[in-house]
Amino acid sequence: MKQLRKISLLFMSIAMVLVIAGCGAQSKANIATTAKETKTINWGVKADTKLFGLMNIKTGEIQGFDIDIAKAVTKKILGKDGKANFVQVTSKTRIPLLKNGNIDAIIATMSISKAREKQVDFSNSYFAAGQAILVKRTSSIKSVKDLNKDGMVVLGVKGSTSVINMKKYAPKAEVLELDDYAQALTALKSGQGDALTTDNGILYGMVKENSDFAVVGGTFTHEPYGIAIDKGQGEFKNEVNKALAEMRADGSYEKLLNKWFGDIPGFSVKEASQQ
Ligand code: GLU
């Protein structure tokens, strides 16, 4: 009899665990549905990255290529009165903010990588970036190889693939990790490092306002950007991919690429659009 009670108790606890687990899975809202109900998509975007997502302090608006893509994708999915709501993220905070449901998607200079694919899903690529370095124009550093020496200090941003890649491309250099790109650029300008490393497009954005710095040596990685979406949101991911494909087909994608990158010396819009 005692044995029987023990067994039935065991079954009851297993059943309870299953019910709780089931509730947990259900409590994650279907973003494709909630976006249509609220007529809003909540996008995690950079606000410190010129050309991709930068806060305009005069208007309080965030502007850039990622922002324009997010706005266009929102309209394609939700129609004319669909609203793109922007939440600021950094390279380090973007995945946690997505995982805890604060944002519906990340469009923030985020490279598709195997490691990240364990946590999130990605849309098809919308920008073919590659890592490069930024140095003072007068610097003797001409490529990433010149950084592979004891005593070299390379500046980067926490949570970026760029700082991880340094272990491979310049293992002897010390990597100093800052919280965001505004801080990393300030550190470079004040001489706290010999170079700053991240994607070429981001670095060109920095050069635009700091002409005594230059991007040197070309790109040494291939790291296309994708829109990150939480796992289990396949319907929303399909909608995003469909919107991106429509933008490529109707010319609006190319228009935006040219708007932000068309006049940048040394930057190939054609290469950036490759999938
Ligand atoms: N694309 C790289 C990454 O996803 C560097 C840019 C960034 O920090 O967002 O990590």
Side-chain angles (χ1 to χ4, degrees):
M1 197 58 193
K2 244 185 170 172
Q3 192 89 19
L4 206 71
R5 260 184 58 191
K6 256 192 188 164
I7 292 174
S8 60
L9 254 166
L10 186 72
F11 271 113
M12 265 168 65
S13 5
I14 291 173
M16 262 173 73
V17 169
L18 287 178
V19 166
I20 292 167
C23 287
Q26 270 164 23
S27 72
K28 279 217 166 167
N30 177 334
I31 292 171
T33 311
T34 49
K36 276 171 205 103
E37 280 163 10
T38 57
K39 288 237 157 264
T40 306
I41 297 174
N42 299 297
W43 297 93
V45 296
K46 292 280 182 74
D48 66 325
T49 310
K50 197 176 170 71
L51 297 178
F52 290 92
L54 185 74
M55 176 67 80
N56 178 333
I57 41 172
K58 278 189 209 135
T59 62
E61 263 180 67
I62 308 174
Q63 298 166 327
F65 178 66
D66 280 346
I67 306 301
D68 283 352
I69 295 273
K71 284 180 182 164
V73 168
T74 302
K75 299 266 184 251
K76 293 252 182 231
I77 296 176
L78 299 178
K80 265 208 315 289
D81 47 332
K83 189 175 170 273
N85 181 38
F86 296 118
V87 177
Q88 290 183 36
V89 301
T90 65
S91 302
K92 195 178 144 203
T93 64
R94 58 193 163 190
I95 291 184
L97 285 170
L98 182 73
K99 295 304 281 184
N100 68 23
N102 278 315
I103 48 180
D104 300 324
I106 303 167
I107 183 157
T109 65
M110 188 168 178
S111 299
I112 301 164
S113 81
K114 285 266 171 311
R116 288 173 179 161
E117 275 173 339
K118 288 186 186 141
Q119 292 180 279
V120 298
D121 285 341
F122 283 99
S123 71
N124 295 328
S125 149
Y126 68 91
F127 188 91
Q131 188 170 344
I133 60 170
L134 179 73
V135 295
K136 262 222 163 94
R137 271 190 200 282
T138 51
S139 168
S140 59
I141 297 160
K142 297 290 172 230
S143 81
V144 69
K145 282 197 200 108
D146 298 332
L147 293 174
N148 193 26
K149 286 181 197 131
D150 292 324
M152 281 288 173
V153 178
V154 184
L155 304 163
V157 165
K158 288 175 191 160
S160 68
T161 51
S162 326
V163 291
I164 299 168
N165 292 340
M166 275 296 111
K167 290 191 186 77
K168 181 173 169 195
Y169 292 95
K172 287 190 182 155
E174 180 195 337
V175 180
L176 197 61
E177 297 185 23
L178 286 304
D179 280 322
D180 61 37
Y181 285 105
Q183 287 183 33
L185 181 59
T186 306
L188 181 71
K189 288 207 251 181
S190 63
Q192 289 179 60
D194 300 287
L196 193 165
T197 191
T198 183
D199 302 317
N200 56 345
I202 300 177
L203 296 177
Y204 282 120
M206 294 175 178
V207 171
K208 263 199 143 180
E209 278 175 359
N210 300 277
S211 53
D212 27 331
F213 289 88
V215 181
V216 293
T219 55
F220 53 92
T221 67
H222 174 64
E223 294 183 83
Y225 293 168
I227 295 175
I229 292 161
D230 202 2
K231 292 209 173 281
Q233 301 289 349
E235 192 183 341
F236 182 54
K237 191 178 100 175
N238 289 343
E239 288 176 349
V240 168
N241 275 334
K242 193 168 157 254
L244 287 175
E246 276 173 28
M247 286 183 68
R248 283 186 187 267
D250 68 17
S252 52
Y253 169 78
E254 208 185 319
K255 222 173 172 179
L256 289 181
L257 257 187
N258 279 313
K259 170 182 169 187
W260 291 100
F261 302 98
D263 66 342
I264 296 189
F267 188 88
S268 162
V269 167
K270 202 167 164 228
E271 262 172 46
S273 72
Q274 243 127 57
Q275 274 189 305

